Amino acid sequence: MSVQERKARERESRERLIVATARELAEQQGWDAVTTRRLAERIEYSQPVLYSHFRGKREIIGAVALEGAAEMAVGLRAATSAADGPRARVTALARAYLDFAERNPAVYDAMFQLDGGLAFAQEDTPEPLRDAFAALLDVLGEVAGDGVHPALFTEVFWAALHGLATLTRAGRLPPEGTGRRMELLVERLAVV
């Protein structure tokens, strides 16, 4: 292995460590606890080393968001691949989405609530975000109904799932009703 290859590997390894540490700290204490000083202490590198990888917290949030989007896409596809029939796939998708949001609140915030400097629904949208939307579209596109653009339907269904996830987490909706709300969403919106 050349010196350049070794340095590139070391750089990638440090970046993964920074992102993993930021994610862990955010899940434990919230995003306000994630500072470059705290991250530098935890990973045992200086702040200038951190800044050589990320210009600041915003870029770190974006990196966590991209990692989370990739994980969510894999989880959605895994959940829906075992389901039999369109309604079962939509139900599995909704459940997997809400479960992801509940299990990974800081990652979910990085993806959809915080400014990570990422473009959504534009030409320069990063691939992990495109793939996460595609995982939704693959299932929801088949139940959009006649005359309804599949991507538009997917956006509306996604917005409803996001609303359920964020309102439940904020205590605005009682958590014990989540299953029934999800069922209503599937029954009323998905044309099967």
Side-chain angles (χ1 to χ4, degrees):
M1 170 185 340
S2 75
V3 172
Q4 282 182 319
E5 289 172 328
R6 182 182 51 77
K7 284 184 178 188
R9 267 196 202 165
E10 288 171 357
R11 182 171 179 75
E12 288 174 27
S13 178
R14 275 193 309 272
E15 280 187 16
R16 284 192 305 272
L17 178 61
I18 293 166
V19 171
T21 304
R23 183 175 174 165
E24 179 183 316
L25 187 56
E27 291 293 358
Q28 291 170 353
Q29 299 176 32
W31 278 104
D32 287 343
V34 179
T35 64
T36 54
R37 169 181 264 159
R38 210 177 248 165
L39 283 174
E41 288 171 5
R42 283 209 173 187
I43 64 172
E44 299 178 345
Y45 283 101
S46 67
Q47 283 182 291
V49 170
L50 251 162
Y51 284 117
S52 74
H53 292 275
F54 299 99
R55 285 182 283 198
K57 184 175 176 176
R58 182 178 186 223
E59 285 189 4
I60 294 169
I61 289 169
V64 170
L66 293 176
E67 187 175 272
E71 290 171 12
M72 187 174 76
V74 168
L76 295 177
R77 287 190 176 103
T80 58
S81 68
D84 187 30
R87 182 175 296 277
R89 280 190 289 281
V90 173
T91 300
L93 176 93
R95 185 171 290 117
Y97 185 95
L98 294 173
D99 287 349
F100 179 89
E102 183 180 352
R103 279 190 328 272
N104 305 285
V107 173
Y108 191 82
D109 284 350
M111 292 167 65
F112 302 121
Q113 302 285 94
L114 301 174
D115 179 9
L118 303 173
F120 281 81
Q122 297 176 18
E123 286 184 30
D124 60 341
T125 299
E127 184 54 36
L129 297 178
R130 288 177 187 269
D131 190 46
F133 186 77
L136 294 166
L137 181 62
D138 291 346
V139 172
L140 295 169
E142 68 179 316
V143 297
D146 292 337
V148 178
H149 193 280
L152 181 62
F153 177 76
T154 300
E155 290 169 352
V156 170
F157 200 94
W158 172 30
L161 286 174
H162 176 70
L164 287 176
T166 56
L167 290 171
T168 301
R169 191 168 120 209
R172 303 300 194 268
L173 297 173
E176 61 274 6
T178 298
R180 184 60 188 132
R181 285 184 205 98
M182 185 190 70
E183 290 170 8
L184 278 170
L185 181 61
V186 172
E187 287 172 16
R188 301 292 187 221
L189 286 184
V191 178
V192 181

